[in-house]
Structure formats: C-alpha cells, structure tokens
Amino acid sequence: MTANRLMPEETGILEFLSICNSVYSDDAVSQSIEAQRAQYDALCARFSPPIPAGLTFTDSPIRTVPTRRYRPRHVTSETVLLYLHGGGFAVGSLESHHAICAEIADFAGAELVAVDYRLAPEHCWPAQTDDGFAVLSELASSGRRIVLIGDSAGGNLAAGLAMRAKQAGLSNIAGQVLIYPALGGDLTAGSYVEMREAPGLTTADVAYYREILQAPQDDPVAAPLKSVSVGGLPPAFITGAAFDPLRDDSRQYAARLAQAGVEVWFREEPQMVHAWLRARHMSDGAGAGFLAVCEAVRRFAAARRSHKVTGDALLHESLLEN
C-alpha cells in the first residue's frame, strides 16, 4: 500500500476493502482486458446476495441492445427505471450489477431495465451512450416516465443521457440518480490530486479508462462538467464518496445544476470509497448511502408531476430527512 494513501476508518468499509484486495489486484489496469474482466466478475460475485423474494427478471434486447428487465412482486409505480452499470466503460455486465438492480427495483416498486452496453476498448465512444440512448428512446416512446440511474462510468452515461434527452425534446425524464459519477473533471486538481491514491480507484485508473474510451473531453455528453449550460435538465440526486478521486465531480456538478435552477439533492458519504455500493450489506455507511439512493429513486418514480425548479435547491442532506 502506498505510504501517502488516505484511508477511511469505518470498520465495515475497511473489511470490504480487505476482501476487494484479495480478489481484485491494485495493478489490474496494467493487465489484459480479459484478465481485468475476469477479476471484476469474481469481485462482483463475491458481493452478490440473493435477490428479493418474488422479484422476476427476463433478458431481451431493446433495439438490438441486450437488456435485463426486473419486475418486483409489488409494482406501485408506472415509472421505468433505467440503470447503466459502472466499470470504467471496460468491465461490467448485466451480471455484475444484478443484485443492486434487483434491490433498487424492489424498493422503488417499479420496473427496472438494465443496459448491457458495448465496452471499451473493443468499442470506443460513443458506442456506450448510443446503446443507452437507443434503449431510452424506445422506453420513452411508450410515454412512461423514466428515472435514469448509474454508478461511476454508468453515472457518466446517465448524466449524458439526460443531456441527450433534453436535446431530443424527450420530456418524460422524471429524474437522474448519479452514484459517484465520473463527469470529466480536471485530473490535475482537487480530489484528483488529494485522493490520487485512494483505495479502490486511483487517478491513474481514471486516466486509463479515459484513454481507452477515447471520448472527446469537450463534449458535454461525454464530460457533463464541460457543458456550457445545464439548465432545463431533470431533477437530480447525486452522491459522492469522500475517499474517491471522483469526489469533486459530484460536488461540482451538483453545484452547477443548483446554480442553473435545477432541483438537486447532494449527499457525500464521509467514510466511503469508490464502489461502496457493493459494501451496502456489511458497512453502516454504505448501507445508509444505499438507502438514500433507493429513497431518491422511489421519490422520482412516485412523483405525479414535474418537480418545481428552484434557485436554491442544493441540499447537503439525505432525502430521508425531507
């Protein structure tokens, strides 16, 4: 372990990191893409509990894009949840986030569609966002409201899809839930420097994923922080992790949305690291963070009308407190 690596103190998240280190090597990005995916799959399997009772799922393509549709036993909302998985745009699949998607759908009482978008380096940008937008467009054509959800690279894709939906005039996006998203921040400043050796994800890792994706960093869909205007975007719930080089992407994007009059809730987990979603059943902090995510999804899914836009909507607190 690097001497200057800042570490959290919560027992549960430290146990999580210990398990991760035994499965996923620190130098994974220096290995072949096949080796990276094998390690990531093993890591995800290690933190994949049984899905909620009564929930069903089916795999089927939407406009040729592989997807998995989850339906909880009790559906209380006609809103559709659209989930984009994390993994640096290079690893991850329908299996990697299976339990996460199932638990969110069950909590929200809404159907969830997970997207198995094409991965880099075999498929460079914009393949990933194009796959997501193809699925989004098909779902939107039904007239049902949609909540966009994504973690890490998936958070980037979800934020980008919100922008593409705005550009295309799709008005039925109920909200966006961005979980420690990668939004195109400056790799030489802020948390990218302070947390450059953070456990679970380093700044060098972020640079690697950007390099293989080959996305233009001045394009607002690829790098939402570079957008000239974020006004008119759907309401957002954004959560970041204190021990994460991506931390300031969340802070800065939440602030920009609020300044533009977009309703936004911001939450930062003080003892969490990147990928803390997988620690939700063994860490108090991760469990609380996941509950806040689920509450946000349910709130957006249950809303009967468009959220009122406010100029001072940046709230540094959980939806649970509202």
Side-chain angles (χ1 to χ4, degrees):
M1 182 177 294
T2 307
N4 62 350
R5 173 173 284 185
L6 299 175
M7 295 288 292
E9 298 178 351
E10 192 212 87
T11 302
I13 206 65
L14 290 176
E15 181 184 354
F16 167 73
L17 288 172
S18 177
I19 296 172
C20 289
N21 291 337
S22 70
V23 179
Y24 199 82
S25 58
D26 279 347
D27 66 344
V29 297
S30 67
Q31 301 175 28
S32 70
I33 194 65
E34 293 79 14
Q36 291 181 50
R37 289 171 183 164
Q39 287 191 43
Y40 188 76
D41 289 347
L43 176 66
C44 296
R46 177 62 179 78
F47 298 103
S48 187
I51 63 175
L55 181 141
T56 59
F57 63 93
T58 56
D59 292 353
S60 61
I62 295 180
R63 293 194 183 179
T64 74
V65 179
T67 68
R68 178 170 293 173
R69 185 183 292 265
Y70 297 83
R71 183 176 178 83
R73 174 187 295 177
H74 301 294
V75 176
T76 58
S77 171
E78 289 302 308
T79 300
V80 181
L81 315 177
L82 183 60
Y83 198 97
L84 292 307
H85 69 77
F89 310 99
V91 301
S93 64
L94 295 178
E95 296 302 326
S96 66
H97 287 63
H98 180 60
I100 291 170
C101 289
E103 290 174 31
I104 291 175
D106 188 68
F107 189 98
E111 290 186 347
L112 183 149
V113 176
V115 182
D116 196 14
Y117 57 83
R118 288 169 288 175
L119 299 176
E122 297 93 333
H123 303 281
C124 297
W125 195 88
Q128 297 74 21
T129 182
D130 284 350
D131 285 352
F133 192 69
V135 176
L136 172 61
S137 298
E138 183 66 23
L139 295 176
S141 68
S142 70
R144 295 170 69 181
R145 298 165 69 253
I146 300 165
V147 178
L148 299 166
I149 314 168
D151 67 286
S152 192
N156 169 284
L157 294 173
L161 289 181
M163 292 196 171
R164 292 187 68 169
K166 174 187 170 184
Q167 294 166 2
L170 301 180
S171 59
N172 49 342
I173 308 302
Q176 50 182 324
V177 176
L178 312 179
I179 306 163
Y180 39 79
L183 301 172
D186 183 354
L187 296 183
T188 67
S191 58
Y192 284 104
V193 175
E194 181 187 355
M195 295 293 168
R196 63 186 178 276
E197 294 293 337
L201 183 74
T202 67
T203 299
D205 293 338
V206 178
Y208 164 81
Y209 292 130
R210 287 189 187 181
E211 181 180 357
I212 65 170
L213 184 64
Q214 297 182 33
Q217 286 302 298
D218 58 350
D219 187 297
V221 173
L225 277 172
K226 303 297 176 59
S227 177
V228 174
S229 172
V230 295
L233 287 171
F237 175 88
I238 304 175
T239 181
F243 293 85
D244 185 352
L246 300 179
R247 181 195 66 203
D248 288 357
D249 281 23
S250 294
R251 290 180 179 179
Q252 293 168 12
Y253 199 56
R256 284 207 60 198
L257 291 175
Q259 290 163 4
V262 176
E263 188 173 22
V264 56
W265 289 265
F266 173 68
R267 178 183 173 106
E268 186 172 296
E269 302 301 335
Q271 283 292 306
M272 293 298 101
V273 298
H274 195 75
W276 58 256
L277 274 183
R278 301 198 182 282
R280 65 195 182 282
H281 295 302
M282 61 185 300
S283 156
D284 291 342
F290 185 63
L291 180 60
V293 165
C294 291
E295 287 280 5
V297 172
R298 185 166 65 180
R299 178 186 176 114
F300 288 146
R304 293 288 185 265
R305 56 185 173 82
S306 298
H307 284 59
K308 179 181 178 182
V309 172
T310 61
D312 58 347
L314 181 61
L315 305 179
H316 292 269
E317 58 189 11
S318 167
L319 287 174
L320 295 173
E321 301 170 350
N322 290 285

